[in-house]
Amino acid sequence: MATQIPYPVPGSHPFDNILNFRDVALFINHATGQNLLRPGLLYRSARPDAASDHDRTVLLNEVKLKTIIDLRTKTELHEAKQKFASKSKTSGSLGPAAAGAGETAALPSHPIAKSSENTKDNEHAIPKTLRIEGIKYVEVDLNGKNYSNALLKRLTFSQKTKLYALYVLGYRKEAISILGSNIMAARGLSGLAEDSLEHCGAEVKHFFTLLAERENYPVLAHCTQGKDRTGLTVLLVLMLCGIPVEAIEADYQVSERELERERREKVVEIEGIGLPESFADCEPGWAGKVGGWVEGRYRGVEKFLEGCGVGREVQGRVREVLMVGVE
């Protein structure tokens, strides 16, 4: 199935400072030429930290957004807060990249942090300055402690020692570059997505538990760019709903075009932490590779989700909410 995606992207909105935003259902329905998913329920985007007054009005009054699921790490949220404060003081205005280009693809939480566990729904690492009043925020750190530890175990003893020393001395970027150049670059975006799924079962369960509750909708899921971690959670949802892999791939790939405005800044950032330029883009065949890994290793997305603690009842409720003709 050759999927031709027009511009503007189906399901998108003309925001000032929110990149890569779209209604997942409208995009998928266009890509497949079928009415498979219910529009107006599940959205995806890059971080909305720098949302303008116009953007906030659209989210509240047109999209009627109720819940934002933030997939970023605590470190990213802290850095976004710092950059937001810095930009506000110097310019008084914020562009789409102002709140921080943040971490790439599947960059882990602070490797030696004591905890990266999810906060309770009413406890926020997301600073008030970045939140939109009237919307419920939930943090699901998709690259938390288990994921970080899994990457660290692949380092040699000398590499790990050097990484810890750099972190303690405050050289965070240099420390992360040890992981980037020695482990992450070789794994590629699809390999790191598989690592996330392998080690982030609790976070996957949290995400799907939120999607199973009708009162949370409409829901926006985002990470930093809304490309890889967001793409991964959306892939699982779409697989559960039986969406063809070609349409899932098209949804993932369109992020590359939607993020073109900040690509140059992103390339500088990722190369500074030991990753290749290709990490700023969308890996060709990503959905097929990751989806095929789920099918091969777990014999289907349903069994994968069950292994994460997402039972068939919760899976069914997610389908009922999102799919056309399922009650």
Side-chain angles (χ1 to χ4, degrees):
M1 178 179 69
T3 304
Q4 299 296 323
I5 304 302
Y7 189 84
V9 171
S12 62
H13 284 261
F15 288 109
D16 296 328
N17 295 333
I18 304 175
L19 300 181
N20 204 17
F21 181 99
R22 56 191 171 275
D23 182 323
V24 174
L26 286 178
F27 184 93
I28 292 298
N29 291 347
H30 175 89
T32 59
Q34 301 178 67
N35 187 31
L36 300 177
L37 300 177
R38 293 188 173 102
L41 294 174
L42 180 61
Y43 297 87
R44 60 178 294 175
S45 76
R47 72 262 177 223
D49 299 347
S52 66
D53 289 341
H54 167 262
D55 296 342
R56 292 170 182 242
T57 298
V58 170
L59 289 176
L60 287 169
N61 297 337
E62 294 185 28
V63 177
K64 300 186 184 302
L65 200 61
K66 287 187 179 179
T67 305
I68 289 179
I69 303 176
D70 194 325
L71 301 171
R72 293 177 293 181
T73 66
K74 300 296 182 291
T75 303
E76 286 176 276
L77 293 173
H78 174 73
E79 291 185 348
K81 179 181 179 180
Q82 297 299 109
K83 291 184 179 182
F84 185 95
S86 175
K87 291 284 184 179
S88 296
K89 289 179 181 178
T90 57
S91 66
S93 62
L94 295 166
E103 312 298 354
T104 191
L107 198 63
S109 295
H110 192 305
I112 56 177
K114 291 183 179 179
S115 174
S116 298
E117 296 176 353
N118 297 323
T119 56
K120 295 179 180 179
D121 288 359
N122 61 347
E123 296 174 354
H124 294 286
I126 304 169
K128 289 184 178 180
T129 51
L130 302 184
R131 286 186 249 158
I132 301 171
E133 188 175 353
I135 293 177
K136 173 185 176 181
Y137 283 77
V138 185
E139 297 142 31
V140 181
D141 181 354
L142 196 60
N143 292 337
K145 187 176 181 180
N146 290 337
Y147 174 83
S148 300
N149 289 340
L151 293 184
L152 287 170
K153 288 178 180 178
R154 296 175 182 172
L155 293 173
T156 65
F157 177 79
S158 61
Q159 290 169 345
K160 192 180 300 184
T161 300
K162 184 177 180 181
L163 181 147
Y164 285 166
L166 287 169
Y167 252 113
V168 170
L169 293 172
Y171 296 101
R172 181 178 179 276
K173 186 176 180 180
E174 291 78 3
I176 290 175
S177 70
I178 295 175
L179 269 179
S181 59
N182 291 290
I183 304 298
M184 299 176 70
R187 292 293 290 149
L189 293 174
S190 57
L192 291 172
E194 294 166 8
D195 292 340
S196 291
L197 295 180
E198 183 77 16
H199 300 288
C200 299
E203 291 77 15
V204 169
K205 178 182 179 181
H206 192 190
F207 183 82
F208 273 85
T209 299
L210 292 166
L211 293 189
E213 300 301 328
R214 289 182 182 271
E215 60 266 25
N216 288 331
Y217 289 90
V219 171
L220 169 65
H222 78 88
C223 49
T224 292
Q225 290 196 302
K227 178 168 75 80
D228 296 296
R229 285 168 292 182
T230 303
L232 187 56
T233 55
V234 170
L235 174 139
L236 292 174
V237 172
L238 296 179
M239 288 181 68
L240 181 63
C241 293
I243 303 302
V245 68
E246 296 87 354
I248 303 175
E249 175 73 9
D251 178 54
Y252 173 72
Q253 290 295 331
V254 80
S255 291
E256 186 168 318
R257 184 172 71 185
E258 292 291 287
L259 294 167
E260 183 62 32
R261 290 168 61 181
E262 64 176 32
R263 186 180 186 279
R264 183 176 299 178
E265 177 184 353
K266 193 66 179 174
V267 168
V268 171
E269 178 194 350
I270 66 173
E271 289 183 338
I273 55 174
L275 296 172
E277 181 179 343
S278 61
F279 269 54
D281 302 321
C282 292
E283 180 181 316
W286 179 90
K289 295 173 186 175
V290 180
W293 180 84
V294 171
E295 294 287 346
R297 187 173 182 85
Y298 295 96
R299 293 181 296 168
V301 69
E302 292 89 352
K303 289 188 179 297
F304 166 75
L305 291 173
E306 283 186 322
C308 296
V310 183
R312 292 301 176 103
E313 180 184 353
V314 171
Q315 293 180 33
R317 296 211 310 264
V318 173
R319 286 193 182 103
E320 289 172 5
V321 171
L322 296 177
M323 294 181 68
V324 172
V326 177
E327 301 293 344

Short mmCIF file of all heavy atoms in Angstrom, two decimals, residues 8 20 26 32 54 74 107 110 135-136 149 151-152 167 235 248 250 268 276 302 312:
data_model
loop_
_atom_site.label_atom_id
_atom_site.label_comp_id
_atom_site.label_asym_id
_atom_site.label_seq_id
_atom_site.Cartn_x
_atom_site.Cartn_y
_atom_site.Cartn_z
N PRO A 8 -1.38 20.36 4.25
CA PRO A 8 -1.09 19.96 5.64
C PRO A 8 -1.45 18.50 5.91
O PRO A 8 -2.31 17.94 5.27
CB PRO A 8 -1.95 20.91 6.48
CG PRO A 8 -2.31 22.04 5.57
CD PRO A 8 -2.38 21.44 4.20
N ASN A 20 4.53 18.90 15.03
CA ASN A 20 4.26 17.46 14.86
C ASN A 20 2.95 17.02 15.52
O ASN A 20 2.85 15.91 16.03
CB ASN A 20 5.44 16.65 15.43
CG ASN A 20 5.56 15.27 14.82
OD1 ASN A 20 4.98 15.00 13.76
ND2 ASN A 20 6.28 14.38 15.48
N LEU A 26 -7.68 10.60 12.40
CA LEU A 26 -7.86 11.24 11.10
C LEU A 26 -6.70 10.89 10.16
O LEU A 26 -6.91 10.68 8.96
CB LEU A 26 -7.95 12.76 11.27
CG LEU A 26 -9.27 13.28 11.85
CD1 LEU A 26 -9.21 14.80 12.03
CD2 LEU A 26 -10.45 12.89 10.97
N THR A 32 -5.36 4.83 5.24
CA THR A 32 -5.93 3.54 4.85
C THR A 32 -7.11 3.68 3.90
O THR A 32 -7.50 2.70 3.25
CB THR A 32 -6.42 2.77 6.10
OG1 THR A 32 -7.41 3.55 6.78
CG2 THR A 32 -5.25 2.47 7.04
N HIS A 54 -2.65 31.49 21.65
CA HIS A 54 -3.50 30.93 20.59
C HIS A 54 -3.49 29.41 20.64
O HIS A 54 -4.55 28.77 20.53
CB HIS A 54 -3.00 31.40 19.22
CG HIS A 54 -3.59 30.65 18.07
ND1 HIS A 54 -2.94 29.60 17.45
CD2 HIS A 54 -4.79 30.77 17.43
CE1 HIS A 54 -3.70 29.11 16.49
NE2 HIS A 54 -4.82 29.82 16.45
N LYS A 74 12.51 12.79 33.81
CA LYS A 74 12.56 13.88 34.79
C LYS A 74 13.68 14.86 34.43
O LYS A 74 13.55 16.06 34.63
CB LYS A 74 12.79 13.31 36.20
CG LYS A 74 11.69 12.37 36.67
CD LYS A 74 10.36 13.09 36.79
CE LYS A 74 9.28 12.15 37.32
NZ LYS A 74 8.89 11.11 36.36
N LEU A 107 16.91 8.31 24.70
CA LEU A 107 17.93 8.65 25.69
C LEU A 107 17.39 8.37 27.08
O LEU A 107 16.27 8.74 27.40
CB LEU A 107 18.31 10.13 25.57
CG LEU A 107 19.62 10.55 26.22
CD1 LEU A 107 20.79 9.85 25.55
CD2 LEU A 107 19.79 12.05 26.11
N HIS A 110 18.63 10.08 33.94
CA HIS A 110 19.94 10.22 34.57
C HIS A 110 20.44 8.85 34.99
O HIS A 110 19.81 8.17 35.80
CB HIS A 110 19.78 11.12 35.80
CG HIS A 110 21.08 11.59 36.37
ND1 HIS A 110 22.08 10.73 36.76
CD2 HIS A 110 21.53 12.84 36.62
CE1 HIS A 110 23.10 11.43 37.25
NE2 HIS A 110 22.78 12.71 37.17
N ILE A 135 -6.10 21.35 32.09
CA ILE A 135 -5.75 20.06 31.50
C ILE A 135 -5.04 19.20 32.54
O ILE A 135 -4.19 19.68 33.29
CB ILE A 135 -4.84 20.23 30.26
CG1 ILE A 135 -5.62 20.93 29.14
CG2 ILE A 135 -4.31 18.88 29.78
CD1 ILE A 135 -4.79 21.20 27.90
N LYS A 136 -5.40 17.94 32.61
CA LYS A 136 -4.77 17.00 33.51
C LYS A 136 -3.45 16.52 32.90
O LYS A 136 -3.41 16.11 31.74
CB LYS A 136 -5.70 15.81 33.75
CG LYS A 136 -5.10 14.65 34.55
CD LYS A 136 -6.09 13.49 34.60
CE LYS A 136 -5.52 12.27 35.30
NZ LYS A 136 -6.49 11.13 35.31
N ASN A 149 19.32 1.24 33.26
CA ASN A 149 20.19 0.18 33.78
C ASN A 149 20.54 -0.84 32.70
O ASN A 149 21.67 -1.35 32.66
CB ASN A 149 19.52 -0.51 34.96
CG ASN A 149 19.47 0.36 36.19
OD1 ASN A 149 20.23 1.31 36.32
ND2 ASN A 149 18.57 0.04 37.11
N LEU A 151 20.88 -0.30 29.48
CA LEU A 151 21.92 0.26 28.62
C LEU A 151 23.28 0.28 29.32
O LEU A 151 24.31 -0.04 28.72
CB LEU A 151 21.55 1.68 28.19
CG LEU A 151 20.34 1.84 27.26
CD1 LEU A 151 20.18 3.30 26.86
CD2 LEU A 151 20.47 0.96 26.02
N LEU A 152 23.27 0.64 30.60
CA LEU A 152 24.52 0.72 31.35
C LEU A 152 25.21 -0.64 31.44
O LEU A 152 26.45 -0.73 31.42
CB LEU A 152 24.26 1.26 32.75
CG LEU A 152 23.94 2.75 32.85
CD1 LEU A 152 23.46 3.10 34.24
CD2 LEU A 152 25.16 3.59 32.49
N TYR A 167 29.57 12.23 35.30
CA TYR A 167 28.31 12.69 35.89
C TYR A 167 28.53 13.37 37.23
O TYR A 167 27.99 14.43 37.51
CB TYR A 167 27.33 11.52 36.05
CG TYR A 167 26.19 11.56 35.08
CD1 TYR A 167 26.06 10.60 34.09
CD2 TYR A 167 25.24 12.58 35.14
CE1 TYR A 167 25.00 10.62 33.20
CE2 TYR A 167 24.19 12.61 34.24
CZ TYR A 167 24.07 11.63 33.27
OH TYR A 167 23.04 11.69 32.38
N LEU A 235 2.35 3.18 18.13
CA LEU A 235 2.47 1.92 17.40
C LEU A 235 1.76 0.79 18.14
O LEU A 235 1.03 0.00 17.55
CB LEU A 235 3.95 1.57 17.19
CG LEU A 235 4.25 0.20 16.57
CD1 LEU A 235 5.37 0.29 15.55
CD2 LEU A 235 4.64 -0.82 17.66
N ILE A 248 0.79 2.57 9.89
CA ILE A 248 1.55 2.91 11.09
C ILE A 248 2.89 3.52 10.69
O ILE A 248 3.35 4.50 11.28
CB ILE A 248 1.76 1.68 11.99
CG1 ILE A 248 0.41 1.05 12.37
CG2 ILE A 248 2.54 2.05 13.24
CD1 ILE A 248 0.53 -0.24 13.16
N ALA A 250 3.55 5.11 7.89
CA ALA A 250 3.29 6.44 7.34
C ALA A 250 3.11 7.46 8.44
O ALA A 250 3.61 8.60 8.35
CB ALA A 250 2.05 6.41 6.44
N VAL A 268 22.93 19.06 15.76
CA VAL A 268 24.03 19.54 16.59
C VAL A 268 23.97 18.87 17.96
O VAL A 268 24.98 18.42 18.50
CB VAL A 268 23.99 21.07 16.74
CG1 VAL A 268 25.01 21.54 17.77
CG2 VAL A 268 24.26 21.73 15.40
N PRO A 276 24.74 9.47 15.59
CA PRO A 276 24.84 9.89 14.20
C PRO A 276 23.69 10.82 13.80
O PRO A 276 22.64 10.84 14.43
CB PRO A 276 24.75 8.57 13.43
CG PRO A 276 23.96 7.67 14.33
CD PRO A 276 24.37 8.05 15.72
N GLU A 302 -1.08 -8.40 21.78
CA GLU A 302 -1.92 -8.71 22.93
C GLU A 302 -1.13 -9.44 24.02
O GLU A 302 -1.24 -9.11 25.21
CB GLU A 302 -3.12 -9.56 22.51
CG GLU A 302 -4.14 -8.84 21.65
CD GLU A 302 -3.82 -8.96 20.17
OE1 GLU A 302 -2.72 -9.48 19.82
OE2 GLU A 302 -4.66 -8.53 19.35
N ARG A 312 -6.57 -8.47 29.11
CA ARG A 312 -7.47 -8.44 27.96
C ARG A 312 -8.65 -7.50 28.18
O ARG A 312 -9.16 -6.90 27.23
CB ARG A 312 -7.96 -9.86 27.65
CG ARG A 312 -6.87 -10.81 27.12
CD ARG A 312 -6.24 -10.27 25.84
NE ARG A 312 -5.14 -11.11 25.37
CZ ARG A 312 -5.23 -11.97 24.35
NH1 ARG A 312 -6.36 -12.11 23.70
NH2 ARG A 312 -4.18 -12.67 23.99
#
